[in-house]
Amino acid sequence: MTDVFDHPWLGGLFADPDMGALWSPEAQLSGMRAFEAAWSRALGQDNSEAAARAIEAMEFDLADLRAGTAQDGVVVPRLVAQMKAAAGAPVHKGATSQDVIDSATALAMRDTLALLDTRLAALVEALTDLDMRFGTRPLMGRTRMQAATEITVHDRIAPWLLPLLTHRHRLAELRPRVAVVQIGGASGDRAGLRPGMVEDVAAALGLGAPPRAWHAMRDGVAEFAGFLSLVSGTLGKIGQDIALMAQQGISEIALSGGGGSSAMPHKQNPVGAELLVTLARFNAVQLSAVHLALVHEQERSGTAWALEWMVLPQMAQATGRALVVARTLAGQVQRMG
Amino acid sequence: MTDVFDHPWLGGLFADPDMGALWSPEAQLSGMRAFEAAWSRALGQDNSEAAARAIEAMEFDLADLRAGTAQDGVVVPRLVAQMKAAAGAPVHKGATSQDVIDSATALAMRDTLALLDTRLAALVEALTDLDMRFGTRPLMGRTRMQAATEITVHDRIAPWLLPLLTHRHRLAELRPRVAVVQIGGASGDRAGLRPGMVEDVAAALGLGAPPRAWHAMRDGVAEFAGFLSLVSGTLGKIGQDIALMAQQGISEIALSGGGGSSAMPHKQNPVGAELLVTLARFNAVQLSAVHLALVHEQERSGTAWALEWMVLPQMAQATGRALVVARTLAGQVQRMG
Amino acid sequence: MTDVFDHPWLGGLFADPDMGALWSPEAQLSGMRAFEAAWSRALGQDNSEAAARAIEAMEFDLADLRAGTAQDGVVVPRLVAQMKAAAGAPVHKGATSQDVIDSATALAMRDTLALLDTRLAALVEALTDLDMRFGTRPLMGRTRMQAATEITVHDRIAPWLLPLLTHRHRLAELRPRVAVVQIGGASGDRAGLRPGMVEDVAAALGLGAPPRAWHAMRDGVAEFAGFLSLVSGTLGKIGQDIALMAQQGISEIALSGGGGSSAMPHKQNPVGAELLVTLARFNAVQLSAVHLALVHEQERSGTAWALEWMVLPQMAQATGRALVVARTLAGQVQRMG
Amino acid sequence: MTDVFDHPWLGGLFADPDMGALWSPEAQLSGMRAFEAAWSRALGQDNSEAAARAIEAMEFDLADLRAGTAQDGVVVPRLVAQMKAAAGAPVHKGATSQDVIDSATALAMRDTLALLDTRLAALVEALTDLDMRFGTRPLMGRTRMQAATEITVHDRIAPWLLPLLTHRHRLAELRPRVAVVQIGGASGDRAGLRPGMVEDVAAALGLGAPPRAWHAMRDGVAEFAGFLSLVSGTLGKIGQDIALMAQQGISEIALSGGGGSSAMPHKQNPVGAELLVTLARFNAVQLSAVHLALVHEQERSGTAWALEWMVLPQMAQATGRALVVARTLAGQVQRMG
């Protein structure tokens, strides 16, 4: 089993290749490379441009990076050593591990938000289309899983759709808080950096330039994680509703392409609908870990930081996958009401 | 033990009377009473004003409310029955349980945000004052709990203070999403309500008037809970830092008024600092529950809704208490660096 | 709202008076009183018996205890001061705060296990009775919420019932690990205690006498919490199944005494079934907090210890209440299959 | 980033190759293959032995398994189809997806327990050795992170070591509850299986033969997960203590081989100690998810089951890795006290 998002067969259920790519080791390495190249250029020394180009073109010795991470707890010392060897010049001068790793994470968060925004818009469209097709049909309203009064399909779909619009507003609000470069220098105080250094690196990376390093201020990361779980939670409600509607005896929805069973080949299972509930619960639980990591002691907590590494990429993938599944489900609806 | 926020002696550590009052049964009852009075007035029938006044003036039979909740799962049927008897007229006509309870919760959330905002501002001031007094003093920067390079006290305080400013921005952004009336009618579709009804009730309560009921859209509640945990998480970092600074052998801070020990009367314990960490972890864990409640099936989930009831008031109190404790701690600082 | 277990009307849904009593401030005080009396007697000094009797008979000044807790972070220093004044003799000599508070908690855990065991047995009986009445009737087996192959009611009930038997075995296994006295002395090393002291105090309290203090070894507490959540989780499955069976259109169960609705007086809601799911999810989330408290630094962590206080009594009450509700539900079943 | 346990460089910090192997896709496939071969033999038909050998020898088409999982939500339908094609005979007759997948998981849990038991014993030995070397040295006892009274190094080590012994007892108790075959047939009632079938398959796999299928009784899985978190929590306390002891200004421990820093090459960081805290918190959070999965509706919940898949392998790896790291740390101790 191990990682369901990158698994020979469970990947068929859980994998989100586009989102996975944003949080992959390759993307992480690419982000750190971009940071170091931008940093080198921003240093503005004689050999800076050459060093930056060397950084951009070099290959990495992954076994060495792994050995270094095992020893140092972070990859950056060895990464920088390899870069120095490739560049034949000082690189990373005045930067620290968090600057490199967190800036790469900021790039991943920024790109994740862009991907989610596109998918949220697409899902809004798909649900709007469902509403156009079936919205006026009658549906039994259900409270506490019991029939209540008659509503319309529109009344069921609206609580699926409206939060997605709000999520897009939330996304726009939090984006400038998380798509920001991390630059603090050795102990986070930006001591010894030239004026404009932060802005130059930020501009090169397409990130915002915050007034201070956020080494030990993880509220942006936690807010980002909270947003992911808000989105997957909304989609979990859609999944739960669809799974309940699809029950025999209720039959308020007809879906094409449900899953089969090894024992009963003709049974149609609402696999995607159930998966949305699973992903929502998964993220709701993971969110605790990222909020626990807000207690990030002193200038850098190895403990809290590593907890983010364990959880954040999975939350992003769970959210990304949920949006794909929800849109697929919307497309499979043949009847509602 | 039971509820630490309302406990004969643990309350000395955990109680936040002002915040507790906002989520107390009395406040809840007051909120539901206000909703029903506003609803009655908005119905605009002959006897509406008289009914509203009767609702505003009546006493409730709590034992009957308890018996009703035990049977119905919500208090509203009995509450309304008592109101009808007191008013001698129809009340609650066309409203449903969620309209009443959630509107009262919206009032509590609105008032909580106001209280938190005031306290955030006060804490910003107290930390700014600390920064003025001690900010220029040298302090050993610590990464991974090890001495790194020398920084200043200002560099330690800044990551305590800056997120508080951001939290105030977040609060302003989310307030209009949560301080909104809940009106949906029996199955949430507002069927049969007169035009302007929602706006009139909202105005009477001092809440926003959203375009639809949010019966089954709990993203506002989850966002509110996430905000609470962001705040308490930031304060947990302050507490963790202070507890570490206060260690003998480190001694980077001197506090007045720490706690004693039954075995060692002269020992000074950083009780408040530790409490901030506890409250941060508590909220980080509780947040999962509120996000799980996003999977709110169909038009009303008794399951998910009751989970919010169990957790939300405690999260608010933990956050409120943490702000009080943090400000007290700031006032106890006699030396930093 | 605040504490749902002790709330004027929500208590109708959540309160478990018997379990609440085991974790109440009164029980806590009684446990601490019993410890200090036993301790005094075990000291075996001239005035020990008199001091013990004074401790057993005295009244406490709760306002003073609260003020002390606010200052010291624990109640014990003031508690002991009041006892000394009442006894007119030294009490608590050589004990520390954790000895007192944790021994009282051990008593609560022991009594909780006894109560749960009785209720587990009663629920086994009630479910066995259901099985006798309806077990041979046909029922549609459902996988992924879809009709699969026909089973019997017995096949649905067995997975409700069998884990309860296993839980009773688990309970018997863990009881000797948690129903143990806490005695460590000032720094947990039992320095200066006379031989037999621990055994005497343990015997007086009806607790086991472990070879060392468990001040900083919280695995017993975490195992206890895990057991609570295993029980409530099993009951949550029962609740979820019943709520699904009770749906109109499915109608695989008929219950007497379901809850009503403010808008639809004749609707019958499976309130108890939903509550079981809520309580299961609540405990599953809380369990994280108690496991986080395993990271109990050094000889005593104010942080981790206080987190247990916040969560443990609620988990016990949620579990106790769930057992009561499950048994009530079993008694309300008029038809299955 | 993605999966830290299987990552080009973060694997240097998080990877546990031995434990990873037990939960790998290869192990999962091997477990399912073993189940189907044993099942085929137990069917005892003319061609059963030949079919079993074909199953044992065949190659799988992973792309097809992935496509099948995407459609069906489980791998088994396609897995069985491939097996049928390879065997040229009916296989899996009367079994269902859960029988196959959960039996493979039971094998992984059994082997995990064996690996953990060995490592627990080794860590007990390593800590006992530390105690022999340094146990009599004086150490300042610390409560609430403040110096209390002097204790010995033995008093610090004992709460690290003793719970490990208890964990071995717990492991022995729970092993027969989780190392059990899953056999229920299509809807979990074992309808149509010949007498002795379950026992024969169990014996072939080296698993226990429970009286019923545990398709919808997930208490064994949740208990297993709780055990993992108890172990990693104990190790988290060790890590937290060591990180605190290693602080400059405290210096109660000297370690060889700590990690370096990109900005300060000579700084020694207690990387392993911090990692233990991270892994403990990670597992404490994940545990919620497995307990949430106890609410496993009806005969099979796609939702709850998939949540276990997401979390269980990671918890096992976090626990396994923590034991390796703790033992390494113990070996790095050059001085305590």
Side-chain angles (χ1 to χ4, degrees):
Chain A
M1 299 209 273
T2 66
D3 180 9
V4 296
F5 300 109
D6 180 22
H7 185 283
W9 61 88
L10 291 177
L13 203 54
F14 292 98
D16 179 346
D18 293 329
M19 186 61 85
L22 297 182
W23 295 87
S24 67
E26 293 72 26
Q28 184 71 14
L29 211 46
S30 161
M32 296 194 292
R33 187 200 292 271
F35 176 87
E36 294 287 6
W39 185 265
S40 191
R41 285 196 180 92
L43 286 173
Q45 296 173 322
D46 282 357
N47 49 7
S48 284
E49 179 59 28
R53 291 192 185 183
I55 289 168
E56 287 167 347
M58 70 178 289
E59 303 273 321
F60 292 99
D61 175 350
L62 291 174
D64 179 66
L65 295 183
R66 186 183 186 96
T69 306
Q71 189 190 316
D72 303 328
V74 281
V75 71
V76 178
R78 292 291 177 95
L79 185 88
V80 168
Q82 290 188 25
M83 286 175 169
K84 276 182 186 160
V91 298
H92 185 75
K93 219 173 95 182
T96 191
S97 288
Q98 261 168 310
D99 295 346
V100 187
I101 292 176
D102 283 341
S103 291
T105 300
L107 291 169
M109 293 196 290
R110 179 199 65 188
D111 295 347
T112 294
L113 291 176
L115 181 58
L116 294 180
D117 202 34
T118 304
R119 289 184 180 174
L120 283 166
L123 183 57
V124 165
E125 202 173 318
L127 294 177
T128 303
D129 181 59
L130 276 188
D131 194 15
M132 301 282 279
R133 287 161 63 202
F134 305 112
T136 57
R137 295 171 60 114
L139 186 74
M140 182 52 67
R142 290 178 195 272
T143 57
R144 297 183 173 274
M145 302 187 69
Q146 293 288 303
T149 58
E150 197 176 278
I151 57 173
T152 62
V153 168
H154 171 77
D155 298 316
R156 180 64 56 84
I157 291 177
W160 300 356
L161 192 154
L162 294 178
L164 303 177
L165 302 174
T166 315
H167 293 331
R168 296 193 69 195
H169 284 291
R170 290 185 175 107
L171 187 154
E173 286 170 3
L174 72 90
R175 185 201 295 261
R177 288 194 283 263
V178 306
V180 292
V181 78
Q182 175 69 288
I183 296 180
S187 286
D189 59 0
R190 295 185 173 173
L193 299 188
R194 71 159 175 79
M197 181 86 188
V198 174
E199 289 71 18
D200 289 354
V201 175
L205 294 172
L207 292 172
R212 267 191 79 90
W214 46 279
H215 288 184
M217 300 186 273
R218 314 305 291 187
D219 51 303
V221 173
E223 186 183 17
F224 172 78
F227 175 73
L228 296 177
S229 180
L230 285 177
V231 172
S232 55
T234 297
L235 305 183
K237 187 236 181 321
I238 299 177
Q240 186 65 278
D241 279 354
I242 291 178
L244 288 167
M245 295 170 87
Q247 294 171 99
Q248 289 99 334
I250 305 288
S251 191
E252 295 169 339
I253 198 166
L255 294 168
S256 62
S261 149
S262 69
M264 290 156 288
H266 303 297
K267 183 158 163 275
Q268 289 290 314
N269 290 317
V271 170
E274 285 192 301
L275 182 56
L276 290 179
V277 179
T278 300
L279 295 170
R281 297 220 172 105
F282 178 77
N283 267 357
V285 168
Q286 305 306 316
L287 183 56
S288 278
V290 186
H291 273 250
L292 286 168
L294 287 167
V295 184
H296 188 111
E297 75 271 5
Q298 297 164 337
E299 279 60 66
R300 182 196 309 164
S301 164
T303 292
W305 202 21
L307 194 54
E308 293 176 3
W309 302 346
M310 296 185 82
V311 166
L312 215 51
Q314 298 200 44
M315 290 188 74
Q317 288 175 93
T319 309
R321 179 61 181 156
L323 280 162
V324 169
V325 169
R327 197 181 174 195
T328 301
L329 262 177
Q332 290 173 327
V333 175
Q334 297 177 317
R335 173 185 51 82
M336 289 183 75
Chain B
M1 299 209 271
T2 65
D3 180 8
V4 296
F5 301 109
D6 180 21
H7 186 284
W9 61 89
L10 291 176
L13 202 54
F14 292 98
D16 179 346
D18 293 329
M19 186 61 84
L22 297 181
W23 295 86
S24 67
E26 292 73 26
Q28 184 73 14
L29 212 46
S30 159
M32 296 193 293
R33 185 199 293 271
F35 175 87
E36 294 286 7
W39 186 266
S40 191
R41 285 196 179 93
L43 285 173
Q45 297 173 322
D46 282 357
N47 50 5
S48 285
E49 179 59 30
R53 290 193 186 181
I55 289 168
E56 287 167 345
M58 70 179 287
E59 302 274 321
F60 292 99
D61 175 349
L62 290 174
D64 178 66
L65 294 183
R66 185 185 187 95
T69 306
Q71 189 191 316
D72 303 329
V74 282
V75 72
V76 178
R78 292 290 178 97
L79 185 88
V80 169
Q82 290 188 24
M83 286 175 171
K84 278 182 184 162
V91 297
H92 184 77
K93 217 173 95 183
T96 191
S97 289
Q98 262 169 306
D99 295 346
V100 187
I101 293 177
D102 283 340
S103 290
T105 300
L107 290 169
M109 294 197 290
R110 179 199 66 188
D111 294 346
T112 294
L113 291 176
L115 181 58
L116 294 180
D117 202 33
T118 305
R119 289 184 180 175
L120 282 166
L123 182 58
V124 164
E125 202 174 319
L127 294 177
T128 304
D129 181 59
L130 275 189
D131 193 15
M132 301 283 279
R133 287 161 63 201
F134 306 113
T136 57
R137 294 172 60 114
L139 186 75
M140 181 54 66
R142 291 178 195 272
T143 55
R144 295 182 173 275
M145 303 187 67
Q146 295 286 303
T149 59
E150 198 176 277
I151 57 173
T152 63
V153 167
H154 170 77
D155 297 317
R156 180 64 57 82
I157 292 177
W160 300 355
L161 193 152
L162 294 178
L164 303 177
L165 301 174
T166 315
H167 292 332
R168 298 192 67 196
H169 285 291
R170 289 183 176 108
L171 187 154
E173 286 170 3
L174 72 89
R175 184 201 295 261
R177 287 194 285 263
V178 306
V180 292
V181 79
Q182 175 70 286
I183 296 180
S187 285
D189 59 359
R190 294 184 174 174
L193 300 188
R194 70 158 175 80
M197 181 87 187
V198 175
E199 290 70 19
D200 289 353
V201 176
L205 294 172
L207 292 171
R212 267 191 79 88
W214 45 279
H215 287 184
M217 301 186 274
R218 313 305 291 187
D219 52 303
V221 174
E223 186 183 16
F224 172 77
F227 176 73
L228 296 177
S229 180
L230 285 177
V231 172
S232 55
T234 297
L235 305 183
K237 186 235 181 321
I238 299 177
Q240 184 65 279
D241 280 353
I242 291 177
L244 288 167
M245 295 171 86
Q247 295 171 99
Q248 290 98 336
I250 306 287
S251 191
E252 294 169 341
I253 198 167
L255 296 168
S256 63
S261 149
S262 68
M264 291 158 286
H266 302 297
K267 185 157 162 275
Q268 288 290 312
N269 290 316
V271 170
E274 284 193 303
L275 182 56
L276 290 179
V277 179
T278 301
L279 295 170
R281 297 219 172 104
F282 178 78
N283 267 357
V285 168
Q286 306 306 317
L287 183 56
S288 277
V290 186
H291 274 250
L292 286 168
L294 287 166
V295 183
H296 188 110
E297 76 269 5
Q298 298 165 339
E299 279 60 66
R300 184 196 307 164
S301 165
T303 292
W305 201 22
L307 194 54
E308 294 176 4
W309 301 345
M310 296 185 81
V311 166
L312 217 50
Q314 299 202 41
M315 289 189 74
Q317 288 175 92
T319 309
R321 179 61 181 156
L323 279 163
V324 169
V325 169
R327 196 180 175 193
T328 302
L329 262 177
Q332 289 172 328
V333 174
Q334 298 177 318
R335 172 185 52 80
M336 288 182 77
Chain C
M1 300 209 273
T2 65
D3 181 8
V4 295
F5 301 108
D6 181 22
H7 185 284
W9 60 89
L10 291 177
L13 201 56
F14 292 98
D16 178 347
D18 294 328
M19 185 62 84
L22 297 182
W23 295 87
S24 67
E26 293 71 27
Q28 183 72 14
L29 211 46
S30 161
M32 295 193 292
R33 185 200 295 269
F35 176 88
E36 294 287 7
W39 187 265
S40 191
R41 286 195 179 93
L43 285 173
Q45 296 173 323
D46 282 357
N47 50 5
S48 284
E49 180 57 30
R53 291 192 186 181
I55 289 168
E56 287 167 345
M58 69 180 288
E59 302 273 321
F60 293 99
D61 175 350
L62 291 175
D64 179 66
L65 294 183
R66 186 185 186 93
T69 305
Q71 189 189 317
D72 303 329
V74 282
V75 72
V76 179
R78 293 290 178 97
L79 184 88
V80 168
Q82 291 187 24
M83 286 175 171
K84 278 183 183 161
V91 297
H92 185 75
K93 216 173 96 183
T96 191
S97 289
Q98 262 168 309
D99 295 346
V100 187
I101 292 175
D102 283 341
S103 290
T105 300
L107 291 169
M109 293 196 291
R110 180 198 64 187
D111 295 345
T112 294
L113 292 176
L115 181 58
L116 294 179
D117 202 33
T118 305
R119 289 184 180 175
L120 283 166
L123 183 56
V124 165
E125 203 174 319
L127 294 177
T128 303
D129 181 59
L130 275 189
D131 194 15
M132 300 283 278
R133 287 162 61 203
F134 306 113
T136 57
R137 295 171 60 112
L139 186 74
M140 182 53 66
R142 291 178 194 271
T143 56
R144 295 182 172 276
M145 304 186 67
Q146 294 287 303
T149 59
E150 197 177 279
I151 57 173
T152 63
V153 167
H154 170 77
D155 297 316
R156 180 64 57 83
I157 292 177
W160 300 355
L161 192 152
L162 294 178
L164 303 177
L165 302 175
T166 314
H167 293 331
R168 297 193 68 195
H169 285 290
R170 289 184 176 106
L171 187 154
E173 286 170 3
L174 73 89
R175 183 202 296 261
R177 289 194 284 264
V178 307
V180 292
V181 78
Q182 175 70 286
I183 297 181
S187 284
D189 59 1
R190 294 186 174 173
L193 299 188
R194 70 159 176 79
M197 181 86 187
V198 174
E199 290 71 18
D200 289 353
V201 176
L205 294 172
L207 293 172
R212 269 191 78 88
W214 46 279
H215 287 184
M217 301 186 274
R218 314 304 292 187
D219 51 303
V221 174
E223 186 183 15
F224 172 77
F227 175 73
L228 296 177
S229 180
L230 285 177
V231 172
S232 55
T234 296
L235 305 183
K237 185 235 181 323
I238 300 177
Q240 185 65 278
D241 280 354
I242 291 178
L244 288 167
M245 294 171 86
Q247 295 171 97
Q248 289 98 335
I250 306 287
S251 190
E252 294 169 339
I253 199 166
L255 295 168
S256 63
S261 149
S262 69
M264 290 157 287
H266 302 298
K267 186 158 161 275
Q268 287 291 312
N269 291 317
V271 170
E274 285 193 301
L275 181 56
L276 290 179
V277 179
T278 301
L279 294 170
R281 297 219 171 104
F282 178 77
N283 268 357
V285 167
Q286 305 306 317
L287 183 56
S288 278
V290 187
H291 274 250
L292 286 168
L294 287 166
V295 184
H296 188 111
E297 74 271 5
Q298 299 167 337
E299 279 60 66
R300 183 196 308 164
S301 165
T303 292
W305 202 22
L307 194 54
E308 293 176 4
W309 303 345
M310 297 184 82
V311 166
L312 216 49
Q314 299 201 41
M315 289 188 73
Q317 289 175 93
T319 310
R321 178 62 182 155
L323 279 163
V324 169
V325 169
R327 197 181 173 193
T328 303
L329 262 177
Q332 290 172 327
V333 174
Q334 297 177 317
R335 171 184 53 80
M336 289 183 75
Chain D
M1 300 210 275
T2 65
D3 181 7
V4 295
F5 301 109
D6 180 22
H7 186 283
W9 61 88
L10 291 177
L13 202 55
F14 291 98
D16 179 345
D18 293 329
M19 186 62 84
L22 298 181
W23 296 87
S24 66
E26 292 74 24
Q28 183 72 13
L29 211 47
S30 161
M32 296 193 293
R33 185 199 294 270
F35 176 87
E36 294 286 6
W39 186 265
S40 191
R41 285 195 179 94
L43 285 174
Q45 296 173 320
D46 282 357
N47 50 6
S48 284
E49 178 59 29
R53 292 194 186 181
I55 289 169
E56 286 168 346
M58 70 180 287
E59 303 273 320
F60 292 99
D61 175 350
L62 292 174
D64 179 66
L65 295 183
R66 186 185 186 95
T69 306
Q71 189 190 317
D72 303 328
V74 281
V75 71
V76 178
R78 293 289 178 96
L79 185 88
V80 168
Q82 291 188 23
M83 286 175 171
K84 277 182 184 161
V91 299
H92 185 76
K93 219 173 94 183
T96 191
S97 289
Q98 261 168 308
D99 295 345
V100 188
I101 292 176
D102 283 341
S103 291
T105 300
L107 291 169
M109 293 197 290
R110 180 197 65 188
D111 295 346
T112 294
L113 291 176
L115 181 58
L116 294 180
D117 201 33
T118 305
R119 288 184 181 174
L120 283 165
L123 183 58
V124 165
E125 203 174 317
L127 294 178
T128 304
D129 181 59
L130 275 189
D131 194 15
M132 301 283 279
R133 287 162 64 200
F134 306 113
T136 58
R137 296 172 59 115
L139 186 73
M140 181 53 68
R142 289 177 195 274
T143 56
R144 295 183 174 275
M145 302 187 70
Q146 294 286 304
T149 59
E150 197 177 277
I151 57 173
T152 62
V153 167
H154 170 77
D155 297 317
R156 180 64 57 83
I157 292 176
W160 300 355
L161 192 153
L162 294 178
L164 303 178
L165 301 174
T166 314
H167 293 331
R168 295 193 69 195
H169 284 291
R170 290 185 176 107
L171 187 154
E173 287 171 2
L174 73 90
R175 184 202 297 260
R177 287 194 284 263
V178 306
V180 292
V181 78
Q182 175 70 287
I183 297 180
S187 285
D189 58 0
R190 293 184 175 175
L193 300 188
R194 70 160 175 80
M197 181 87 188
V198 174
E199 290 71 19
D200 289 352
V201 175
L205 294 172
L207 292 172
R212 267 192 80 90
W214 45 279
H215 287 183
M217 301 186 272
R218 313 306 291 187
D219 51 303
V221 174
E223 186 183 15
F224 172 78
F227 176 72
L228 296 177
S229 181
L230 285 177
V231 172
S232 55
T234 297
L235 305 183
K237 186 236 180 320
I238 300 177
Q240 186 65 279
D241 280 354
I242 291 179
L244 288 167
M245 295 171 86
Q247 295 171 99
Q248 288 100 334
I250 306 286
S251 190
E252 295 169 339
I253 198 167
L255 295 168
S256 63
S261 148
S262 70
M264 291 157 287
H266 303 298
K267 183 157 162 277
Q268 288 290 312
N269 290 318
V271 170
E274 285 192 302
L275 181 56
L276 290 179
V277 180
T278 301
L279 295 170
R281 298 217 172 106
F282 178 78
N283 267 357
V285 168
Q286 305 306 316
L287 184 55
S288 277
V290 186
H291 274 250
L292 286 168
L294 287 166
V295 184
H296 188 110
E297 77 271 4
Q298 299 166 336
E299 279 60 66
R300 183 195 308 164
S301 164
T303 292
W305 202 21
L307 194 54
E308 294 177 3
W309 303 345
M310 296 186 81
V311 165
L312 215 51
Q314 300 201 42
M315 290 189 73
Q317 289 176 92
T319 309
R321 178 62 180 156
L323 279 163
V324 169
V325 169
R327 197 180 173 195
T328 302
L329 262 177
Q332 289 172 328
V333 174
Q334 297 178 318
R335 173 184 51 81
M336 289 183 74

